[in-house]
Amino acid sequence: MFLPIETTGVIMQSYNEIVKVFCHIGNEKDMKQFMREVLTESELDALVFRWRLMKDLYHGETQRSIANKYHISLCKITRGSKILKNKDSISLKLLKKQETDT
Amino acid sequence: MFLPIETTGVIMQSYNEIVKVFCHIGNEKDMKQFMREVLTESELDALVFRWRLMKDLYHGETQRSIANKYHISLCKITRGSKILKNKDSISLKLLKKQETDT
DNA sequence: TTTTTTGTTCTTTTTCATAGAAACATGATT
DNA sequence: AATCATGTTTCTATGAAAAAGAACAAAAAA
């Protein structure tokens, strides 16, 4: 996105707001619907797929194995890989949490 | 992404999972970081901007006024407009809620 | 140390959302 | 009824971003 500079403040406010909104949606049904409303189908698919990739990486699958499994290129996997390598990664924490919860 | 949203299967499972994950992130700091990790910058920008559009529409601004303000084309606004016209819209409920809360 | 496997980065190609410019619909105002 | 403002939809062209494929780097295994 490329928005005129003068709108930056407003957009930043919207950014904080939508984070807040996401935080206060209590139940899964509403969350699911909200995500369908504010994300395009391809964005949602991409998001879900990215989560799937991170899980596979987290479970120790090699990048090439994942690439073959989903018929995608390696470069697509690097992103998720980088995120999980970051020590402060929230995604990593959430994956760990999910593991212990189930 | 081009993986059809099935009603069963690993992708659907990941979909339900990530909805659950979003639901259980309690605080805004983590939510913000998580969104930065699992969405690309342009996806996040698009999402935030879409929320901004919906707010403007909700407050009664005309589509043409919004288009001029942000220097975007009208066709881009139709999406948000359609969402808000649906009486079951969660976005609409959340906008109402935000209004009464503040 | 050489070979093999795995991970990362680079360049090119493809894809997808959007702009722009209408046309058409609807609804309000006169 | 005629006019004007607004909303919706369609079309092609364009540009930004994502992805592919290949080259390169690093690490592990032999």
Side-chain angles (χ1 to χ4, degrees), chain A residues 62-78:
Chain A
T62 67
Q63 292 191 8
R64 275 179 173 76
S65 150
I66 296 169
N68 288 331
K69 185 165 69 169
Y70 299 119
H71 307 104
I72 58 171
S73 70
L74 280 170
C75 62
K76 196 171 176 176
I77 306 173
T78 299

Side-chain angles (χ1 to χ4, degrees), chain B residues 48-66:
Chain B
V48 170
F49 188 63
R50 221 169 275 139
W51 182 248
R52 179 74 234 163
L53 282 189
M54 289 210 273
K55 286 195 74 173
D56 287 348
L57 286 168
Y58 178 71
H59 289 126
E61 282 193 56
T62 68
Q63 292 191 10
R64 276 178 173 76
S65 151
I66 296 169

Side-chain angles (χ1 to χ4, degrees), chain A residues 35-72:
Chain A
M35 285 171 79
R36 281 224 166 94
E37 289 182 6
V38 295
L39 294 172
T40 67
E41 195 179 327
S42 57
E43 282 167 353
L44 188 52
D45 287 351
L47 169 66
V48 170
F49 188 63
R50 222 168 273 141
W51 182 248
R52 179 75 233 162
L53 284 188
M54 291 211 272
K55 286 197 74 173
D56 288 346
L57 285 167
Y58 177 70
H59 289 126
E61 280 193 58
T62 67
Q63 292 191 8
R64 275 179 173 76
S65 150
I66 296 169
N68 288 331
K69 185 165 69 169
Y70 299 119
H71 307 104
I72 58 171

Side-chain angles (χ1 to χ4, degrees), chain A residues 58 93-102:
Chain A
Y58 177 70
K93 281 183 200 146
L94 293 169
L95 283 164
K96 277 180 189 160
K97 184 169 176 294
Q98 196 181 59
E99 198 176 41
T100 56
D101 285 358
T102 50

